[in-house]
Amino acid sequence: MEISVIGNSQVNFGKINVGFCSFSKNLNRKIYNSKNYPKTSNFCQGQNMVWHAKSSSGVTLKASNIRAEAALTSEKASKITRTRPIDAVKLYVGLPLDTVSNSATINNARAIAVGLKALKLLGVDGVELPVWWGIAEKQAMGKYDWTCYLALAEMVRKTGLKLHISLCFHASNEPKIRLPKWVSQIGESQPDIYFADRAGQPYKDCLSLSVDDLPVLDGKTPIEVYMGFFESFKSSFSAFMGSTITGISIGLGPDGELRYPSQRQSVKDSSQLGAGEFQCYDKNMLTNLKQHAETLGNPLWGLGGPHDTPGYDQSPNSNGFFADGGSWETPYGDFFLSWYSSQLVSHGDRILSRAAETFKDVSVSVSGKVPLMYSWYRTRSHPSELTAGVYNTVNRDGYEAITEIFSRNSCNIILPGMDLSDDHQPNESRSSPELLLAQIMSSCRKHGVEVSGQNSLVSGGPKVMEQIKKNLLEENAVDLFTYQRMGAYFFSPDNFPSFTQFVRNLKQLNLHSDDLPQKDDETADSLPDMDLHRQVA
Amino acid sequence: MRPPGSIPIKDYAIETPLEKSLASSEGESIYEVNIDFNTNSSIAAINFVLKDEETGSWYQHRGRDFKVPLIDYLQDDGNIVGAKKGLGTWPGPLGQISNMLLKPEAANSKEDIGELSVQKRGLQGFYEEQAVVKEILVDNLVSVSVRHCLETAKNLLYIETDLPGDVIVHWGICKDDGKTWEIPSEPYPPETSMFKDKALRTLLQRKNGGHGSLGSFILDEGSVAFVFVLKLNENTWLNCHGNDFCIPLSSFSVPPIHSGQPHSEDEEQNNESGSLLISGNASEANQEVSAYTDEIIDEIRNLVTDISSEKNRKTKSKKAQESILQEIEKLAAEAYSIFRSSIPTFTETDLLEEEALEPPVKISSGTGSGFEILCQGFNWESHKSGKWYIDLREKASKLASLGFTVLWLPPPTDSVSSEGYMPRDLYNLNSRLTNVKMHPLTFQGRGNKSSGDNFHAAPNIDHSQEFVRKDIKEWLHWLREEIGYDGWRLDFVRGFWGGYVKDYIEATEPYFAVGEYWDSLSYTYGEMDHNQDAHRQRIIDWINATNGTAGAFDVTTKGILHSALERCEYWRLSDEKGKPPGVVGWWPSRAVTFIENHDTGSTQGHWRFPGGKEIQGYAYILTHPGTPSVFYDHIFSEYQSEISTLISIRNRNKIQCRSTVQIMKAERDVYAAMTDEKVVMKIGPGHYEPSNGSRNWSLVAEGRDYKIWETS
């Protein structure tokens, strides 16, 4: 409904516009508010206007923020400070992994539609949708089927939520989502497109980084195939880009994470006793290692991976490599670990730079996921991180190189494990999710990389929510949190009430900071400005 | 000269609250402040602005301070109030109602805003009324929901609002996107009239006992949109950002997906409400505002959530938030139930297959093995013995030998009431239960579940308490795994949502679970109705919500047996389709039949089974499908041998929860039925004998008003 403003003067109107700009960072939240407090509808309308203008001109969200801040600084009116951007954490919820089924239909569409509505009312900013390689490019190379994903994006748009897309170039076990069939067929004759461990066991849930630039997929390199996927996605979803779709994360390896599949045992084995194994035994990795050793003048080092590493389920201390003073601290160890980790970093850089290039002209953020290999973090050698490809030990910060490539490509880092607390880790694994998180975050801060958080555990509950909140609020670096994920458990009476509480707490905190400058109003002496508040607030 | 209550603001102003004037009359409140000053002082003028504490709004005069000159040569800046030469006080006419707030800009645009006032000028003072325009922004909600009815191919549109007073909807439909209003075809809602051939005018019905109104509209399918504006009174119209409200009717398209589930989509187009335009526009402000009645504005004031104060907004939006939370909860529950049911752990097809199988292969928590006979192993007095579980242990072998397979135990927790109800601390098994750890040992065979004669313990769980959903799964798990209970009896209030029960049950995988859904049967003029379908349907609905993972006490059957036996109306025992009239007639495998429990019998005696007819009742439930439950008091009474005989007949003939029953006779004084073509029973004083045609029936049990035959 419209309220006619009595004789609104031009001067005031200008100021109001400034207010609009400065709100744009929290657009979602404000729209939500306008539903609650319908009297702000005039504001809301103006806000929409700003949004459209922004999307058409292709200015990114970030940029518009800067613009708004600039406007504020020049304004200098004391009263207007209330409308400065609130440093709020945006909150997203992941849609079920199998939202689009293998047979290209939407699972539980009704439940998702209802769920989206619930999230919207709750004040959640958006949802995350996994888009699977094995579903969208299932039929044949270059033959994409986006129908269901487009339908979902439309559902999300209609609900008024934002959408973060996760492009998944890996397979999933639970629920079962495979790589495209035409890829796995190639894999049957050429198992070397997969990672392999010392025993030669291939890991068939994603391609080995060693084939990134080899024409193994019917004459095309995997990178080229990924690029094709990006391009097709971009053009198919162009109507949503920058408006509904605010971000895209790019799958970088197993479970989408930038790592080697060093852990092979099932996730259910929560003890995570072993540190995992190195995955450098596919043909191309070995060739690469050999060449690298020869270049460095140590051909003997390139004959294979380290011989004294423990197996998947063995304690890292049971063999020489990771022990204190073990091979990892020798020149050979350094040689091998440097090579092994640099392969991973270059792989990340290759994909992220292509993705950033592809999506640079649409206003979406591009991100990638970095693993949180927190077991054995409290040892000197950090074996779990080493096998996963992060050369992070007591002597060396392995996350610098990783955050650096994200920074170089202007990509955000997605960090899982925001829900994990040290208190719940088994003692014998000497793990510390919290310390590791802090290390990665500080590296991100240093390189100016924005962090999006996620939770790792399925189980929710008040304690978990508390931990997430702690991480989000203490570390000021997180600007988006994606709660994983919607499904039966998510809406169950065990979880949903605490999630609701969590959302309200987050939003409430935002509100508090929002309210702070208001105290000044009590002694206001400049009345036109007061009036501005009423218009804008 | 500072009036009482004044507070200095910094060093240039004083804040003084207005006091209610003694001169207030006729319900009209006048607030005033008197400022006394010495005329000889050097004060040139008194400047003031007004602030509404409630809303935080500031009122000015022509965009600037009100200025009361105290000397006559003061330069006129255009905002001087009163006579230039006048001296005196200026009592503000700030009644709550006529307190019309002057927006700063308003004065600029409208110079003569204050001119309806009476002006008296005199040498010693003046009285001048200044109108201020108060713009009250209220937070009202108009929610519109549209339901598409597949059967009638019509849309049902429902408008609900919390706007106070009469709300008139001017409405029409659009047949194309052109937004031209058309008059829809009849029927119209009540209180509808035609408005200038262009629109329909419908007065919304006031809601019962509260603020707000509602109305529903039936619309043909052909319409593209429902367009409307709201009219509150002659001067106040509500629209949507200057346009009509437009509710699209051409459905909310859930993408072409999901194997054609025929459901109607609700579209909610609510929240398009907003600021009530109170003041009309500037040029007319005065007259029109004053046209408002006190009542309306007061009401509006009560509802106001003023936009100007964040603080106010927060507190006042609480209510709105609560209703949103409720909506969220509803949506979440719906999403939950869909997601939940899509997990292929327990599907209807499983059920059917299971049903088709020859017994007894599968154990389902809704039925146990299918051959269960329950003993409700306690009564309302059982806590008095103080060592009930020990007593029961002693009796367990007896119970097992009688043929019971499931023993229902009192709630095993420390409780608010000593009877064992209302568990306080779910993990505290201290009350009466010091020896609880031994009971899995006490009862035979937790293993060997297929044999049909094993024995399971099931505690009672009270779901009517708040704690329920919190830790209950953990607790159940603990009981199941650590203590060795095999199943649950779920004592719940009506409406306790079966979907959640299913969750507990699936999480804890009990051997057997049963719920109690208790409500009244239907009576007409004090006579129980023959047809109790609605009653049993409610129980069935509950079982359905658990996805069949729990059975339910067949309260319907108990109720009908009461009337049939007590009043000799045995015809009641057959429904219109010739089937048993209780839950057992519709979903026998999930019906737990009983004639008495600790609430109805025992010393509680809430709804006691007709005295002396108990064995007729047991003759009925123990020969019929469903899972029969026998009450403790009856087992250890003079009925024991008869009950024992009935149980052995049931076991011997392998009558189980899915047995088929054929009603042979249901007349005034006799009821007879044949089960699985192996057993025939009759109850009632009337005569019945099975005909010895192809089968040879022999009488195996006989007592007061009942007989049972087996084929031989």
Side-chain angles (χ1 to χ4, degrees):
Chain A
M1 269 170 259
E2 191 66 272
I3 175 141
S4 63
V5 176
I6 306 165
N8 207 343
S9 76
Q10 200 51 49
V11 182
N12 271 348
F13 195 70
K15 285 180 186 168
I16 291 162
N17 271 341
V18 172
F20 287 158
C21 297
S22 60
F23 262 105
S24 56
K25 177 169 185 184
N26 295 295
L27 205 60
N28 296 321
R29 201 175 75 82
K30 284 298 164 186
I31 287 177
Y32 164 64
N33 278 350
S34 74
K35 282 207 151 184
N36 281 312
Y37 318 114
K39 61 211 167 314
T40 57
S41 55
N42 53 350
F43 172 58
C44 170
Q45 199 182 31
Q47 198 176 33
N48 285 337
M49 217 164 61
V50 171
W51 179 256
H52 290 311
K54 195 156 64 68
S55 57
S56 64
S57 65
V59 182
T60 65
L61 191 59
K62 211 156 122 189
S64 100
N65 257 325
I66 292 160
R67 194 180 57 188
E69 271 158 7
L72 276 180
T73 358
S74 66
E75 183 62 40
K76 277 184 188 153
S78 64
K79 290 305 164 293
I80 216 156
T81 49
R82 194 190 331 165
T83 61
R84 74 180 168 182
I86 301 148
D87 206 3
V89 180
K90 277 172 278 170
L91 184 64
Y92 281 51
V93 172
L95 292 176
L97 287 174
D98 59 351
T99 297
V100 176
S101 73
N102 280 312
S103 47
T105 54
I106 300 178
N107 282 328
N108 301 318
R110 171 79 183 152
I112 287 171
V114 170
L116 288 175
K117 220 186 272 176
L119 293 181
K120 177 69 189 172
L121 285 177
L122 196 54
V124 166
D125 298 290
V127 290
E128 178 258 6
L129 172 66
V131 171
W132 297 90
W133 189 23
I135 289 171
E137 200 178 353
K138 183 185 183 148
Q139 303 298 333
M141 191 201 298
K143 203 174 162 213
Y144 307 99
D145 178 6
W146 303 110
T147 328
C148 284
Y149 291 117
L150 281 166
L152 277 160
E154 181 60 22
M155 274 166 83
V156 173
R157 188 191 65 77
K158 272 193 179 160
T159 321
L161 289 165
K162 298 293 166 193
L163 182 59
H164 182 101
I165 295 286
S166 298
L167 300 179
C168 303
F169 295 108
H170 59 276
S172 151
N173 280 318
E174 192 54 51
K176 194 78 198 163
I177 296 164
R178 298 163 212 278
L179 293 184
K181 203 170 175 199
W182 56 272
V183 174
S184 38
Q185 273 165 354
I186 293 169
E188 269 164 41
S189 54
Q190 286 176 265
D192 284 314
I193 64 168
Y194 299 123
F195 288 109
D197 60 14
R198 193 162 47 159
Q201 281 302 312
Y203 174 83
K204 296 186 175 176
D205 287 349
C206 69
L207 299 184
S208 166
L209 57 84
S210 67
V211 296
D212 275 354
D213 286 324
L214 301 180
V216 291
L217 300 177
D218 293 336
K220 284 204 174 186
T221 69
I223 292 280
E224 284 166 350
V225 172
Y226 299 154
M227 288 278 284
F229 196 83
F230 298 158
E231 290 288 353
S232 170
F233 176 81
K234 184 179 145 191
S235 61
S236 306
F237 287 80
S238 56
F240 298 100
M241 290 288 183
S243 48
T244 297
I245 298 179
T246 53
I248 298 177
S249 50
I250 310 295
L252 299 172
D255 297 328
E257 297 179 339
L258 182 60
R259 64 174 169 90
Y260 290 93
S262 52
Q263 304 279 357
R264 295 279 189 95
Q265 72 267 54
S266 70
V267 188
K268 276 172 192 157
D269 184 8
S270 59
S271 62
Q272 269 200 342
L273 195 62
E277 291 191 20
F278 290 112
Q279 309 286 325
C280 58
Y281 297 89
D282 67 70
K283 190 181 75 189
N284 302 302
M285 284 293 274
L286 287 173
T287 313
N288 192 317
L289 175 61
K290 190 155 174 273
Q291 282 167 357
H292 184 64
E294 282 162 6
T295 328
L296 291 184
N298 261 318
L300 292 179
W301 285 357
L303 296 180
H307 65 280
D308 52 354
T309 52
Y312 290 114
D313 50 0
Q314 285 175 299
S315 158
N317 298 318
S318 66
N319 225 327
F321 193 85
F322 298 117
D324 289 355
S327 313
W328 67 277
E329 283 186 288
T330 65
Y332 164 72
D334 183 51
F335 154 80
F336 175 77
L337 293 169
S338 302
W339 168 79
Y340 187 69
S341 61
S342 69
Q343 294 296 306
L344 185 70
V345 169
S346 327
H347 162 77
D349 191 28
R350 272 194 294 272
I351 299 187
L352 287 176
S353 60
R354 305 304 208 288
E357 178 67 22
T358 309
F359 295 110
K360 72 171 183 211
D361 55 344
V362 284
S363 48
V364 296
S365 65
V366 176
S367 43
K369 195 168 172 186
V370 167
L372 195 72
M373 308 303 293
Y374 54 83
S375 28
W376 304 104
Y377 185 78
R378 290 176 198 267
T379 60
R380 294 188 68 237
S381 59
H382 296 208
S384 291
E385 290 161 86
L386 295 185
T387 56
V390 185
Y391 189 5
N392 189 49
T393 66
V394 73
N395 305 321
R396 189 179 188 282
D397 187 342
Y399 293 96
E400 287 290 301
I402 292 173
T403 42
E404 204 269 324
I405 59 157
F406 278 86
S407 164
R408 191 192 315 149
N409 294 304
S410 312
C411 293
N412 301 344
I413 282 184
I414 295 176
L415 266 183
M418 296 272 168
D419 52 337
L420 301 176
S421 107
D422 286 3
D423 301 342
H424 297 99
Q425 301 306 319
N427 232 346
E428 64 275 15
S429 76
R430 311 228 220 121
S431 41
S432 177
E434 293 183 50
L435 287 177
L436 177 54
L437 208 54
Q439 187 193 349
I440 304 177
M441 298 267 249
S442 99
S443 191
C444 289
R445 260 195 301 271
K446 188 168 148 197
H447 290 277
V449 175
E450 281 192 28
V451 174
S452 301
Q454 285 188 0
N455 53 316
S456 290
L457 301 176
V458 184
S459 60
K463 276 181 200 148
V464 166
M465 297 301 178
E466 212 41 55
Q467 181 71 25
I468 296 174
K469 212 170 79 193
K470 192 174 125 200
N471 273 319
L472 294 185
L473 299 178
E474 273 182 10
E475 303 283 346
N476 215 7
V478 181
D479 74 331
L480 186 151
F481 180 79
T482 306
Y483 186 82
Q484 301 295 19
R485 60 189 48 257
M486 188 191 282
Y489 178 77
F490 177 76
F491 284 116
S492 76
D494 296 326
N495 184 65
F496 197 71
S498 53
F499 180 76
T500 308
Q501 198 52 46
F502 167 70
V503 177
R504 299 188 73 203
N505 283 344
L506 276 190
K507 299 289 167 187
Q508 213 93 60
L509 282 163
N510 295 339
L511 200 63
H512 284 317
S513 62
D514 196 6
D515 275 347
L516 286 178
Q518 196 196 354
K519 283 172 194 153
D520 295 346
D521 296 353
E522 303 299 322
T523 53
D525 48 32
S526 150
L527 292 173
D529 273 349
M530 296 289 304
D531 194 59
L532 170 65
H533 285 300
R534 204 178 321 150
Q535 304 282 338
V536 176
Chain B
M1 64 178 276
R2 294 182 188 179
S6 298
I7 306 161
I9 301 294
K10 298 194 176 159
D11 53 1
Y12 55 80
I14 292 168
E15 185 177 284
T16 305
L18 295 176
E19 302 284 337
K20 194 163 187 176
S21 166
L22 296 171
S24 302
S25 60
E26 291 165 24
E28 190 187 28
S29 304
I30 293 181
Y31 293 82
E32 65 177 18
V33 62
N34 287 307
I35 302 172
D36 300 324
F37 56 91
N38 188 340
T39 47
N40 297 328
S41 69
S42 58
I43 302 171
I46 292 177
N47 286 17
F48 67 92
V49 292
L50 300 168
K51 182 185 176 193
D52 183 338
E53 283 288 10
E54 188 179 335
T55 63
S57 307
W58 294 83
Y59 308 126
Q60 291 176 293
H61 183 45
R62 300 178 188 183
R64 306 173 55 180
D65 301 339
F66 289 94
K67 193 167 197 172
V68 183
L70 301 179
I71 50 175
D72 56 6
Y73 53 85
L74 194 74
Q75 192 190 344
D76 185 357
D77 294 333
N79 60 334
I80 287 179
V81 173
K84 287 186 177 109
K85 289 183 180 173
L87 293 177
T89 53
W90 187 87
L94 298 176
Q96 286 281 46
I97 304 314
S98 59
N99 175 5
M100 288 160 280
L101 148 49
L102 178 71
K103 293 189 66 164
E105 308 88 316
N108 289 338
S109 66
K110 197 64 189 164
E111 276 297 317
D112 55 351
I113 190 155
E115 290 312 313
L116 79 150
S117 57
V118 184
Q119 295 197 6
K120 284 184 202 160
R121 296 190 185 183
L123 281 172
Q124 292 307 310
F126 66 89
Y127 169 79
E128 183 174 318
E129 233 170 66
Q130 295 282 338
V132 283
V133 177
K134 177 165 184 169
E135 189 172 289
I136 305 170
L137 297 168
V138 294
D139 178 15
N140 284 115
L141 200 73
V142 178
S143 69
V144 181
S145 57
V146 183
R147 250 194 127 73
H148 181 67
C149 175
L150 284 175
E151 281 169 34
T152 59
K154 285 186 190 279
N155 289 307
L156 182 65
L157 186 134
Y158 185 77
I159 296 182
E160 190 172 352
T161 177
D162 58 358
L163 287 164
D166 285 341
V167 179
I168 295 169
V169 187
H170 279 234
W171 59 285
I173 52 165
C174 289
K175 292 239 158 115
D176 50 41
D177 291 333
K179 300 259 160 130
T180 37
W181 289 42
E182 288 181 41
I183 306 293
S185 55
E186 293 190 65
Y188 306 136
E191 303 274 1
T192 300
S193 58
M194 192 71 80
F195 181 70
K196 294 181 186 166
D197 289 335
K198 283 194 296 196
L200 289 168
R201 200 155 54 164
T202 301
L203 176 68
L204 293 182
Q205 288 167 280
R206 293 287 195 99
K207 280 191 211 163
N208 287 341
H211 297 295
S213 324
L214 45 84
S216 56
F217 302 82
I218 296 166
L219 305 166
D220 289 334
E221 206 173 25
S223 342
V224 172
F226 176 83
V227 281
F228 70 99
V229 293
L230 298 175
K231 183 183 176 190
L232 299 189
N233 60 35
E234 284 309 316
N235 305 304
T236 313
W237 292 78
L238 302 177
N239 58 19
C240 179
H241 302 302
N243 296 315
D244 304 329
F245 288 105
C246 180
I247 310 295
L249 297 174
S250 44
S251 87
F252 163 79
S253 57
V254 171
I257 27 154
H258 211 53
S259 50
Q261 204 177 313
H263 49 69
S264 62
E265 289 291 346
D266 297 359
E267 174 155 22
E268 260 169 310
Q269 183 90 26
N270 53 14
N271 300 317
E272 276 295 354
S273 64
S275 13
L276 256 177
L277 176 57
I278 297 274
S279 51
N281 61 48
S283 56
E284 306 165 331
N286 293 325
Q287 271 72 16
E288 272 146 27
V289 170
S290 44
Y292 275 82
T293 65
D294 300 4
E295 185 204 22
I296 289 176
I297 295 191
D298 274 345
E299 263 182 297
I300 290 173
R301 284 183 70 94
N302 292 337
L303 291 169
V304 202
T305 306
D306 196 286
I307 189 171
S308 63
S309 154
E310 286 266 331
K311 211 166 29 183
N312 281 354
R313 188 176 82 180
K314 253 165 60 186
T315 49
K316 289 186 179 167
S317 61
K318 242 186 180 154
K319 247 191 214 157
Q321 273 188 6
E322 268 163 29
S323 70
I324 289 172
L325 279 177
Q326 277 172 7
E327 179 67 17
I328 292 171
E329 212 164 89
K330 238 168 59 193
L331 291 167
E334 186 180 352
Y336 176 67
S337 69
I338 304 172
F339 277 125
R340 195 77 187 84
S341 59
S342 75
I343 294 173
T345 45
F346 192 92
T347 63
E348 283 301 317
T349 44
D350 287 345
L351 262 178
L352 292 174
E353 278 168 23
E354 190 189 325
E355 222 117 6
L357 286 171
E358 279 303 302
V361 196
K362 251 184 182 170
I363 305 297
S364 142
S365 56
T367 59
S369 67
F371 290 85
E372 309 301 343
I373 301 177
L374 255 73
C375 164
Q376 182 184 346
F378 65 102
N379 57 27
W380 202 254
E381 306 296 308
S382 47
H383 65 285
K384 286 187 180 157
S385 94
K387 49 182 177 46
W388 188 253
Y389 281 73
I390 299 170
D391 292 353
L392 265 187
R393 188 178 59 164
E394 283 156 12
K395 288 178 173 144
S397 57
K398 173 72 180 167
L399 292 170
S401 72
L402 285 171
F404 289 102
T405 61
V406 174
L407 176 61
W408 168 14
L409 297 171
T413 48
D414 176 17
S415 304
V416 175
S417 78
S418 56
E419 286 78 12
Y421 273 75
M422 299 197 271
R424 192 165 51 210
D425 176 356
L426 283 171
Y427 288 96
N428 183 355
L429 276 181
N430 269 336
S431 87
R432 326 268 166 258
L433 291 169
T434 41
N435 294 315
V436 72
K437 286 233 162 80
M438 57 180 70
H439 51 52
L441 311 171
T442 319
F443 306 118
Q444 319 161 3
R446 289 223 298 141
N448 189 23
K449 283 175 180 163
S450 59
S451 73
D453 63 356
N454 49 20
F455 209 79
H456 298 277
N460 198 1
I461 296 157
D462 185 344
H463 273 260
S464 63
Q465 301 305 309
E466 277 186 1
F467 68 82
V468 270
R469 304 206 293 262
K470 203 146 185 266
D471 296 318
I472 199 153
K473 275 201 290 190
E474 269 172 62
W475 179 66
L476 292 177
H477 234 288
W478 179 73
L479 286 175
R480 176 106 171 95
E481 298 302 322
E482 304 296 322
I483 305 301
Y485 285 111
D486 294 304
W488 322 126
R489 178 263 187 183
L490 308 155
D491 187 8
F492 47 86
V493 293
R494 246 176 297 155
F496 183 77
W497 188 43
Y500 284 147
V501 173
K502 178 178 62 176
D503 198 30
Y504 306 144
I505 291 172
E506 290 183 3
T508 53
E509 301 178 339
Y511 177 78
F512 184 78
V514 57
E516 184 173 290
Y517 188 97
W518 198 275
D519 69 0
S520 177
L521 282 84
S522 58
Y523 292 82
T524 307
Y525 304 122
E527 281 276 311
M528 179 187 278
D529 294 342
H530 180 208
N531 182 330
Q532 295 293 344
D533 288 356
H535 186 264
R536 55 174 161 171
Q537 185 62 51
R538 288 192 288 271
I539 297 175
I540 299 264
D541 287 346
W542 185 87
I543 304 171
N544 243 330
T546 73
N547 213 8
T549 55
F553 282 103
D554 188 349
V555 183
T556 322
T557 293
K558 172 173 161 72
I560 293 170
L561 280 171
H562 274 239
S563 284
L565 273 53
E566 194 165 37
R567 306 159 60 109
C568 195
E569 295 171 343
Y570 289 87
W571 48 269
R572 290 185 181 277
L573 291 172
S574 170
D575 71 9
E576 281 145 8
K577 292 187 172 156
K579 295 216 166 197
V583 177
V584 72
W586 276 357
W587 200 348
S589 66
R590 298 301 184 276
V592 176
T593 47
F594 72 111
I595 67 166
E596 207 81 290
N597 67 22
H598 58 286
D599 284 326
T600 62
S602 204
T603 53
Q604 287 274 100
H606 288 321
W607 195 32
R608 192 184 288 281
F609 201 77
K613 318 235 181 204
E614 288 88 351
I615 288 299
Q616 283 190 66
Y618 283 120
Y620 180 89
I621 67 171
L622 285 167
T623 55
H624 277 57
T627 301
S629 171
V630 182
F631 185 45
Y632 183 87
D633 286 5
H634 296 152
I635 298 166
F636 295 98
S637 73
E638 72 272 22
Y639 299 134
Q640 192 181 89
S641 69
E642 281 176 286
I643 289 173
S644 162
T645 308
L646 291 168
I647 291 174
S648 59
I649 291 170
R650 183 177 184 89
N651 284 336
R652 190 160 66 224
N653 290 283
K654 299 201 164 46
I655 295 174
Q656 48 127 338
C657 68
R658 299 183 183 86
S659 289
T660 55
V661 64
Q662 187 187 350
I663 295 174
M664 316 300 289
K665 207 169 189 182
E667 293 174 358
R668 188 188 62 83
D669 59 352
V670 67
Y671 167 85
M674 176 169 71
T675 304
D676 285 348
E677 308 196 338
K678 287 188 270 191
V679 172
V680 170
M681 58 79 75
K682 79 118 200 178
I683 50 175
H687 172 78
Y688 179 81
E689 283 285 338
S691 55
N692 278 324
S694 53
R695 286 183 206 82
N696 197 17
W697 296 104
S698 52
L699 188 67
V700 288
E702 186 176 10
R704 189 175 153 195
D705 291 341
Y706 78 92
K707 280 182 179 174
I708 295 178
W709 299 263
E710 285 175 354
T711 51
S712 49

